[in-house]
Amino acid sequence: MALIFYSPINPADVWEAELKKHLPELDFRRWEAPGDKSEIDMALCWKPPPGGLAKFPNLKVIFSLAAGIDSLTADPALPDVPIVRMVEPSLTAGVAEYVLLHVLRHHKDQPRFAEQQKARIWQEHFAPPAWTRRVGLLGLGAIGAEAARMLVAVGFEVAGWSRTQKHLADVTSYFGPDQLDGFLARSDILVCLLPKTRQTDGILNAALFAKLPQGASLINAGRGDQLIEDDLLAALDSGQLSQATLDVFATEPLPPAHPFWAHPRITVTPHSAGDPFAASAARVVAENIRRFRAGQPLPHLYDRKAGY
Amino acid sequence: MALIFYSPINPADVWEAELKKHLPELDFRRWEAPGDKSEIDMALCWKPPPGGLAKFPNLKVIFSLAAGIDSLTADPALPDVPIVRMVEPSLTAGVAEYVLLHVLRHHKDQPRFAEQQKARIWQEHFAPPAWTRRVGLLGLGAIGAEAARMLVAVGFEVAGWSRTQKHLADVTSYFGPDQLDGFLARSDILVCLLPKTRQTDGILNAALFAKLPQGASLINAGRGDQLIEDDLLAALDSGQLSQATLDVFATEPLPPAHPFWAHPRITVTPHSAGDPFAASAARVVAENIRRFRAGQPLPHLYDRKAGY
């Protein structure tokens, strides 16, 4: 009974040390030295190589290091075991802080100040107060709810759109396909935090952009496949959208020749909005391991029907 | 009994219209066509030409369009009449939003992402959650208190330093000269919102930077004279400071040849953190005009002894 760890970005040393603070007896195995594969019953991972998890014949549960589990479910050889999405405070805070930062950048037009600085141009311009700016969040899960809470605290007029109705303080809840257009029509700054599913693939397209107020802006911290890239470029060209900040891309890393890198009205960040910090997240993973060992129900399970 | 208006950046038309919504009888005069100067008893202005207000022999009160009144008091010919500082919701919100934006930029190291984008480099890096980051606000007046409230809501560990003790929820209050060093020692991101006075001129200097944690960063939305510019450049060179965002400068507009414009670790904004929006601020100015006409005490008066 051992746990196999894999991540291209999270350090195994740190995670092992943090997990053992909570579970001193944990048999923690690294991807490159898994030992007897039949002893592995748990995996803790992000973006494992396709087919990789199938090599553990007794795998019983997968703990995702990310909130989105699409990189796991894209693996046709993925063992048919429960997948626990990562929902823990430091990841939630990190992405919510990212959303707030980039909403404020768009709101205060910091990109225009950056252009002016490059050209040594002193030209005052002032944003209206946040209470005149309408932010719309596509997706109101744990991360969307926390981003909404912060945006409300700053004073923005906040609405969210989700599959089902939500009840969050001072956040207007739009839900279901019928209410999407009304939500879009009132969103000056649109933030995508949706999980990747068949329903959300390609949702950020020309038809959707056309339903936003003219000059609206986009922040995508959902998944790259949700954005039709050519539609974004066309909407920026036409002025329908004023700017975009993107953390996720259909192809990651974003290829060096991609037009997004040098576009004057696109901000690119390398899928770095948030990450579970081991010191915070290990507590949650350890508790989930305890629950798994005790045969208790696991929280935040991947729902095959919903697709996330 | 008339009001004279002057501002290099705020449109007279808009202010006249907004003020008249509250005071339809107001005799609103523009700087370029003041009419009989002896009829002027009130001024509403920002950065009037030195000596300009002395030309109104019956001036009784000055309403500042800015929170800081140093550009008025720098005029040796300024009439000796009460000066009301601008304290109103849209200006307070605007500067507090600016502070929050740039604290988040520093916290998430958005400047490094911007450098990476320029070079088409995909390199993930993650900020720890805000609750591990200590923000220090120099100045806890109306604007500082609002910035502190927002920063606390996001989760930062917030302290402030001011002349007198303050009692703000979840904000550690340091006060007086004796407590400055302790405040600096715990400030990873230092924000200056101080008024310009003899005591604050030059306060952001090498000795102060040395008392911050190594690699701390600076945001100045106070006044340009508070910063010793060469000391900032030296602290950035040595690594004592990691970056700085500056909205105010000893000379404004910042001269085209100034080294700040092209410094890779300095963000320049052109004194645009906040501005009173006429639709919001006219309500407050109109109330102050009513109080003045009724002989009632005026709020937020310039205090010659305190210097602001």
Side-chain angles (χ1 to χ4, degrees), chain A residues 63-137:
Chain A
F63 301 110
S64 170
L65 279 164
I69 46 61
D70 47 284
S71 72
L72 292 164
T73 56
D75 179 357
L78 190 76
D80 184 18
V81 301
I83 304 174
V84 180
R85 295 184 297 119
M86 180 63 81
V87 178
E88 68 79 33
S90 72
L91 174 60
T92 300
V95 183
E97 291 164 20
Y98 178 94
V99 168
L100 181 61
L101 162 60
H102 291 284
V103 167
L104 283 165
R105 278 181 67 246
H106 290 206
H107 165 58
K108 299 284 271 186
D109 210 352
Q110 177 56 30
R112 185 174 159 201
F113 287 125
E115 287 296 313
Q116 289 182 196
Q117 178 171 356
K118 236 184 286 180
R120 299 176 183 244
I121 292 171
W122 181 279
Q123 175 62 59
E124 296 96 340
H125 46 96
F126 298 95
W131 67 72
T132 68
R133 196 78 80 178
R134 299 166 300 176
V135 181
L137 298 165

Side-chain angles (χ1 to χ4, degrees), chain A residues 21-301:
Chain A
K21 285 184 189 170
H22 305 282
L23 299 169
E25 314 292 306
L26 181 69
D27 187 353
F28 183 99
R29 309 269 182 95
R30 283 133 208 263
W31 197 259
E32 62 278 17
D36 180 347
K37 288 184 177 166
S38 72
E39 292 168 359
I40 305 290
D41 63 344
M42 305 180 294
L44 174 60
C45 52
W46 193 55
K47 290 199 175 176
L53 290 172
K55 294 173 184 163
F56 303 101
N58 295 317
L59 193 69
K60 298 284 187 306
V61 65
I62 301 170
F63 301 110
S64 170
L65 279 164
I69 46 61
D70 47 284
S71 72
L72 292 164
T73 56
D75 179 357
L78 190 76
D80 184 18
V81 301
I83 304 174
V84 180
R85 295 184 297 119
M86 180 63 81
V87 178
E88 68 79 33
S90 72
L91 174 60
T92 300
V95 183
E97 291 164 20
Y98 178 94
V99 168
L100 181 61
L101 162 60
H102 291 284
V103 167
L104 283 165
R105 278 181 67 246
H106 290 206
H107 165 58
K108 299 284 271 186
D109 210 352
Q110 177 56 30
R112 185 174 159 201
F113 287 125
E115 287 296 313
Q116 289 182 196
Q117 178 171 356
K118 236 184 286 180
R120 299 176 183 244
I121 292 171
W122 181 279
Q123 175 62 59
E124 296 96 340
H125 46 96
F126 298 95
W131 67 72
T132 68
R133 196 78 80 178
R134 299 166 300 176
V135 181
L137 298 165
L138 284 166
L140 278 181
I143 291 171
E146 177 64 353
R149 186 194 63 77
M150 290 182 185
L151 290 161
V152 165
V154 175
F156 289 102
E157 202 179 306
V158 182
W161 179 80
S162 42
R163 280 194 310 148
T164 57
Q165 188 167 16
K166 304 282 179 175
H167 299 279
L168 300 169
D170 298 313
V171 178
T172 307
S173 170
Y174 293 80
F175 59 100
D178 293 350
Q179 297 189 10
L180 180 58
D181 288 5
F183 163 80
L184 295 170
R186 54 69 65 207
S187 294
D188 301 313
I189 301 175
L190 182 71
V191 181
C192 179
L193 290 167
L194 292 167
K196 175 175 161 60
T197 68
R198 272 194 303 273
Q199 286 72 41
T200 67
D201 274 354
I203 192 173
L204 302 173
N205 59 39
L208 178 141
F209 298 149
K211 291 169 184 164
L212 293 167
Q214 203 189 351
S217 70
L218 173 70
I219 295 166
N220 190 13
R223 282 292 182 259
D225 288 338
Q226 290 158 355
L227 176 67
I228 306 298
E229 297 189 343
D230 287 342
D231 288 5
L232 172 62
L233 293 171
L236 290 169
D237 279 351
S238 75
Q240 176 58 21
L241 290 186
S242 56
Q243 57 178 312
T245 294
L246 308 173
D247 190 50
V248 290
F249 304 89
T251 303
E252 295 181 6
L254 189 65
H258 199 286
F260 286 176
W261 283 115
H263 195 289
R265 275 171 296 147
I266 295 179
T267 299
V268 170
T269 56
H271 205 141
S272 296
D275 191 49
F277 270 69
S280 164
R283 183 184 308 270
V284 171
V285 174
E287 172 60 17
N288 288 339
I289 291 174
R290 272 197 211 99
R291 297 183 71 88
F292 168 69
R293 292 266 181 253
Q296 293 168 346
L298 292 166
H300 307 297
L301 281 173

Side-chain angles (χ1 to χ4, degrees), chain B residues 40-55:
Chain B
I40 305 290
D41 62 344
M42 305 180 293
L44 174 59
C45 53
W46 194 56
K47 289 201 175 175
L53 290 173
K55 293 175 185 160

Side-chain angles (χ1 to χ4, degrees), chain B residues 33-91:
Chain B
D36 181 347
K37 288 184 177 165
S38 71
E39 291 168 1
I40 305 290
D41 62 344
M42 305 180 293
L44 174 59
C45 53
W46 194 56
K47 289 201 175 175
L53 290 173
K55 293 175 185 160
F56 302 102
N58 295 317
L59 193 69
K60 298 283 189 305
V61 64
I62 300 170
F63 300 109
S64 171
L65 280 163
I69 46 63
D70 46 285
S71 72
L72 291 165
T73 56
D75 179 357
L78 191 76
D80 184 19
V81 301
I83 304 173
V84 180
R85 295 185 297 118
M86 180 63 82
V87 178
E88 67 80 34
S90 73
L91 173 60

Side-chain angles (χ1 to χ4, degrees), chain B:
Chain B
M1 305 223 295
L3 177 136
I4 185 79
F5 180 90
Y6 181 84
S7 171
I9 55 171
N10 304 94
D13 288 3
V14 175
W15 275 84
E16 179 171 10
E18 290 293 338
L19 281 169
K20 286 188 170 169
K21 285 184 189 169
H22 305 283
L23 299 169
E25 313 292 307
L26 181 70
D27 187 351
F28 183 100
R29 309 269 181 96
R30 284 133 206 262
W31 197 260
E32 61 279 13
D36 181 347
K37 288 184 177 165
S38 71
E39 291 168 1
I40 305 290
D41 62 344
M42 305 180 293
L44 174 59
C45 53
W46 194 56
K47 289 201 175 175
L53 290 173
K55 293 175 185 160
F56 302 102
N58 295 317
L59 193 69
K60 298 283 189 305
V61 64
I62 300 170
F63 300 109
S64 171
L65 280 163
I69 46 63
D70 46 285
S71 72
L72 291 165
T73 56
D75 179 357
L78 191 76
D80 184 19
V81 301
I83 304 173
V84 180
R85 295 185 297 118
M86 180 63 82
V87 178
E88 67 80 34
S90 73
L91 173 60
T92 300
V95 183
E97 292 164 19
Y98 178 92
V99 168
L100 181 60
L101 162 59
H102 291 284
V103 166
L104 283 164
R105 278 182 66 247
H106 291 204
H107 165 58
K108 298 285 270 186
D109 210 353
Q110 176 57 30
R112 185 175 160 201
F113 287 124
E115 288 296 313
Q116 289 181 197
Q117 178 171 355
K118 238 183 285 181
R120 300 175 183 245
I121 292 171
W122 181 278
Q123 175 62 60
E124 296 95 342
H125 46 96
F126 298 95
W131 68 73
T132 68
R133 196 77 80 177
R134 299 165 301 175
V135 181
L137 298 165
L138 283 166
L140 277 181
I143 291 170
E146 177 64 354
R149 186 194 65 76
M150 291 182 184
L151 290 161
V152 165
V154 174
F156 289 102
E157 202 180 306
V158 182
W161 179 81
S162 42
R163 281 194 310 147
T164 56
Q165 188 167 16
K166 305 281 179 175
H167 300 278
L168 300 168
D170 298 313
V171 178
T172 308
S173 171
Y174 293 80
F175 58 101
D178 293 351
Q179 297 189 9
L180 180 57
D181 287 6
F183 164 80
L184 295 170
R186 54 68 67 206
S187 293
D188 300 315
I189 300 175
L190 182 70
V191 182
C192 180
L193 290 168
L194 292 168
K196 175 175 162 56
T197 68
R198 273 194 302 274
Q199 286 73 40
T200 67
D201 274 355
I203 192 172
L204 304 173
N205 58 40
L208 178 141
F209 299 149
K211 292 169 183 163
L212 293 167
Q214 203 189 353
S217 70
L218 173 70
I219 295 166
N220 191 13
R223 282 292 181 262
D225 288 338
Q226 289 157 356
L227 176 67
I228 306 297
E229 298 188 344
D230 287 342
D231 288 5
L232 173 62
L233 293 170
L236 290 168
D237 279 350
S238 74
Q240 175 58 21
L241 290 186
S242 56
Q243 57 177 312
T245 294
L246 308 173
D247 190 50
V248 289
F249 304 88
T251 303
E252 295 180 6
L254 189 65
H258 198 286
F260 286 176
W261 283 116
H263 196 290
R265 276 170 295 148
I266 295 178
T267 299
V268 170
T269 57
H271 205 142
S272 296
D275 191 49
F277 269 68
S280 165
R283 181 184 307 272
V284 171
V285 174
E287 172 59 17
N288 287 339
I289 291 173
R290 273 198 210 98
R291 297 182 72 86
F292 168 70
R293 293 266 183 253
Q296 292 168 348
L298 293 166
H300 306 298
L301 281 174
Y302 165 55
D303 173 347
R304 274 170 178 70
K305 204 171 149 196
Y308 67 94

